[in-house]
């Protein structure tokens, strides 16, 4: 049984910890967060998201501690799930700590979907650290990590020539957690949204990384900085309820991100809309070339539960993968192998 | 550059050899077939399928020889693509020969999609041989190998619980090669089809293997012989042209295969129809559980070109994979990394 610690106990981390605890093939042995309000608490006391059905209550789950060293001192562990930050450079210290304690890592850190795009030198250093530690480090999630990148690469295995890839993801953010609704600008005035967008303070993190992952899966290399990203607000045309308040007509209900890259006889376009009240949520992957392939997931993959599933399902994969800083192009499909306790 | 030999020069083998030759990252160094009519011929003289546009003509391609030993005597090689038989036991000798010459192998052999289902002892022996040789052996293709099995497992990575998987594939066989149209019973009388079906002489090979692959990807084990397979003819309701002759109304236009397995809190159903004049060709993957996911490829993946693509795209993957008898659950997504010469 794989012993797992979860580092970063926001909504995704808490849900991962619950999923690990509910799984017969994994054991939850540690919880780590830097928030003083969480230290010393067991999983079931962490926020409203942690309210579990009675039959899933387990009394001897670990309590939250401040760092990985403390967690592994209390219990030996095999794998760390890290859900602390979208930015690779901000989780580098945690990665270092995990590798020092010989933990394999799976992380939802968006930039780790293709870490060398934004941080080539750091990626090389972490890769060396991971090889020295003999452990694998993997960034994954539903997006980036799956539905707008590695799934497209997987499907492209069935054709011999690709001239362009286009992925469209439309997410009804009304079904998503509050931090995400805030992140996409819900209730803002358009001008405020655009001002924040200009400072990279709203918008999806990971679109350039997804583009770089697809390109690599198609045998191309995307140079750092060469992905063009646009971000625009989606404007409500009617009053829409949200977790951050009522969105009045004319205010922002979400965002529309596009990432584009062209080079080396290939063009890639990733078109992501996340908004409250969005019609026709879906995921579409279009592969153009001599053979045209169009795959569609009606309704779209649900963002939060799918990211939690990816993280927990890839725990056994990183535990046996070759050492190094890996991406979804380096590992076999995990599959849903979890079993109820 | 990977040096590739192709063993088995039917339509799929010829198309693979052409694809390897047209690829800048692979080199076609050998052609092997036991048919005396093909021995000594270069690729471009092999059947009507080999007629290539003038700009793809290459004069120094190898000629067909009778066995792998002769091929590797003429040129060192890294990987063999084997397209000789649907049956694992019938290609075992060729696998043995390839491994003796230290070739990694990728094969369209349908039973190799999950070789331990039909031939557990042989699978173990080949696995040991491959490990001793330090080479990987992989069965792949579009079906089995991808669209009704490993792709479903890949998508299941995005959920935490699966109660059932259902894959539907509807292929318009009118777009397929003659051997396939014959294989599915086109132009037969219904009684003749049923008599042949009772002897396993018509029908798709690989459905139980796909079921076993999905089950393994979901953490379950399917015992040999436990997949229920049904086969029925599709009857023409109007005259339909085919490569084996005109199909009169009331005669067989194709086949409908279903593979089913239930056990260990999971049910799997694979529903495959291949027929001439079939409306609504498509691939659908449905994953049921607390989260429902439905992925659809409109029109369906084209069978022949996709199988060729899978074989050639997985050449670099098997070349660097760990030694052993592998399945699509053991290897990362290949992606379409081929480049024009």
């Amino acid at each position: 049984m794989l012993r797992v610690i979860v580092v970063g106990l926001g909504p995704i981390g808490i849900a991962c910890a619950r999923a690990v605890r509910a799984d017969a093939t994994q054991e939850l042995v540690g919880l780590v967060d830097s928030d003083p309000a969480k230290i010393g608490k067991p999983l079931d006391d962490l926020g409203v998201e942690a309210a579990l059905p009675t039959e899933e209550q387990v009394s001897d789950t670990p309590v939250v501690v401040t760092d990985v060293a403390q967690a592994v001192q209390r219990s030996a562990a095999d794998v760390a799930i890290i859900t602390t930050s979208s930015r690779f450079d901000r989780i580098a210290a945690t990665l270092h700590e995990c590798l020092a304690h010989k933990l394999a890592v799976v992380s939802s850190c968006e930039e780790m979907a293709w870490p060398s795009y934004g941080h080539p030198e750091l990626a090389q250093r972490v890769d060396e650290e991971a090889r020295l530690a003999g452990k694998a480090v993997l960034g994954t999630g539903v997006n980036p990590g799956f539905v707008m990148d590695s799934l497209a690469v997987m499907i492209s295995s069935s054709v011999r020539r690709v001239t362009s890839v286009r992925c469209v993801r439309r997410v009804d953010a009304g079904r998503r957690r509050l931090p995400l609704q805030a992140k996409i600008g819900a209730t803002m005035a358009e001008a405020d949204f655009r001002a924040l967008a200009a400072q990279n303070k709203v918008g999806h993190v990971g679109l350039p990384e997804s583009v770089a992952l697809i390109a690599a899966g198609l045998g191309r290399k995307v140079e750092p900085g060469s992905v063009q990203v646009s971000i625009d607000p989606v404007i409500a045309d009617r009053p829409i309820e949200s977790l951050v308040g009522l969105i009045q007509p004319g205010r922002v209900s979400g965002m529309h991100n596009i990432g584009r890259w062209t080079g080396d006889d290939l063009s890639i376009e990733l078109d992501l809309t996340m908004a409250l009240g969005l019609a026709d949520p879906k995921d579409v992957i279009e592969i153009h070339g001599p053979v045209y392939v169009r795959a569609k997931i009606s309704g779209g993959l649900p963002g939060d539960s799918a990211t939690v599933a990816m993280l927990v399902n890839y725990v056994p994969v990183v535990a046996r993968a070759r050492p190094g800083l890996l991406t979804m192009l380096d590992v076999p499909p995990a599959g849903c192998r979890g079993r109820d306790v």
Side-chain angles (χ1 to χ4, degrees), chain A:
Chain A
M1 192 136 81
L2 289 167
R3 297 162 301 186
V4 179
I5 69 170
V6 178
V7 184
L9 296 161
I12 296 289
I14 290 172
C16 285
R18 291 170 58 184
V20 168
R21 187 173 63 174
D23 194 306
T25 68
Q26 300 182 21
E27 184 184 4
L28 181 67
V29 299
L31 299 169
V32 178
D33 198 288
S34 59
D35 180 355
K38 293 177 181 168
I39 305 296
K41 288 190 177 168
L43 183 55
D44 295 335
D45 292 353
L46 295 175
V48 63
E49 296 88 351
L52 294 174
T54 312
E55 66 272 22
E56 283 194 45
Q57 299 281 352
V58 180
S59 58
D60 60 351
T61 51
V63 298
V64 179
V65 297
T66 52
D67 59 37
V68 174
Q70 281 187 53
V72 296
Q73 196 177 19
R74 292 179 179 221
S75 167
D78 304 297
V79 179
I81 297 174
I82 305 180
T83 60
T84 50
S85 173
S86 301
R87 305 293 178 182
F88 185 35
D89 52 353
R90 290 195 202 149
I91 77 157
T94 307
L95 292 174
H96 179 77
E97 205 180 3
C98 289
L99 290 170
H101 291 96
K102 304 287 183 196
L103 302 179
V105 172
V106 56
S107 177
S108 61
C109 171
E110 281 87 345
E111 289 187 344
M112 276 176 60
W114 200 258
S116 61
Y117 179 80
H119 307 273
E121 285 164 27
L122 180 59
Q124 198 177 339
R125 204 176 77 217
V126 172
D127 183 51
E128 282 162 14
E129 275 183 37
R131 286 169 191 261
L132 277 172
K135 295 296 168 186
V137 174
L138 174 70
T140 191
V142 69
N143 180 34
F146 190 62
V147 78
M148 295 188 92
D149 45 50
S150 66
L151 185 58
V153 172
M154 179 87 179
I155 293 172
S156 82
S157 307
S158 68
V159 299
R160 276 302 291 162
R161 288 291 178 278
V162 178
T163 52
S164 72
V165 176
R166 182 162 181 265
C167 300
V168 177
R169 179 163 167 80
R170 289 174 59 84
V171 177
D172 177 3
R175 302 177 191 176
R176 299 292 293 270
R177 63 202 149 84
L178 188 142
L180 184 126
Q181 295 189 8
K183 187 182 84 169
I184 62 171
T187 72
M188 282 184 191
E190 181 174 348
D192 295 342
F193 180 98
R194 292 197 182 278
L196 286 175
Q199 302 168 57
N200 282 324
K201 289 187 178 168
V202 288
H204 171 72
V205 178
L207 224 46
E209 284 76 10
S210 287
V211 169
L213 191 158
I214 290 175
L218 298 176
R220 273 77 164 186
K221 183 163 168 37
V222 166
E223 294 300 329
S226 67
V227 177
Q228 303 298 313
V229 178
S230 68
I231 175 164
D232 289 289
V234 177
I235 304 299
D237 58 5
R238 61 188 193 283
I240 302 170
E241 299 280 354
S242 88
L243 295 176
V244 285
L246 186 71
I247 304 170
Q248 298 290 357
R251 306 284 285 197
V252 174
S253 64
M255 58 160 209
H256 182 200
N257 257 182
I258 297 178
R260 279 196 191 93
W261 180 83
T262 300
D264 205 2
D265 301 323
L266 177 71
S267 68
I268 300 172
E269 180 177 299
L270 305 184
D271 185 321
L272 171 66
T273 306
M274 303 176 86
L276 281 294
L278 194 71
D280 190 24
K282 64 184 175 184
D283 286 299
V284 176
I285 294 171
E286 290 182 306
I287 296 174
H288 296 264
V291 175
Y292 170 67
V293 180
R294 181 178 195 271
K296 178 179 178 181
I297 298 175
S298 302
L301 283 179
D304 293 332
S305 74
T307 287
V308 170
M310 294 293 291
L311 289 166
V312 180
N313 286 334
Y314 276 84
V315 162
V317 174
V318 295
R320 63 174 181 265
R322 70 168 169 80
L325 177 59
L326 308 183
T327 72
M328 288 293 284
L329 296 188
D330 298 308
V331 293
C336 169
R337 303 195 197 196
R339 307 302 297 271
D340 290 327
V341 167

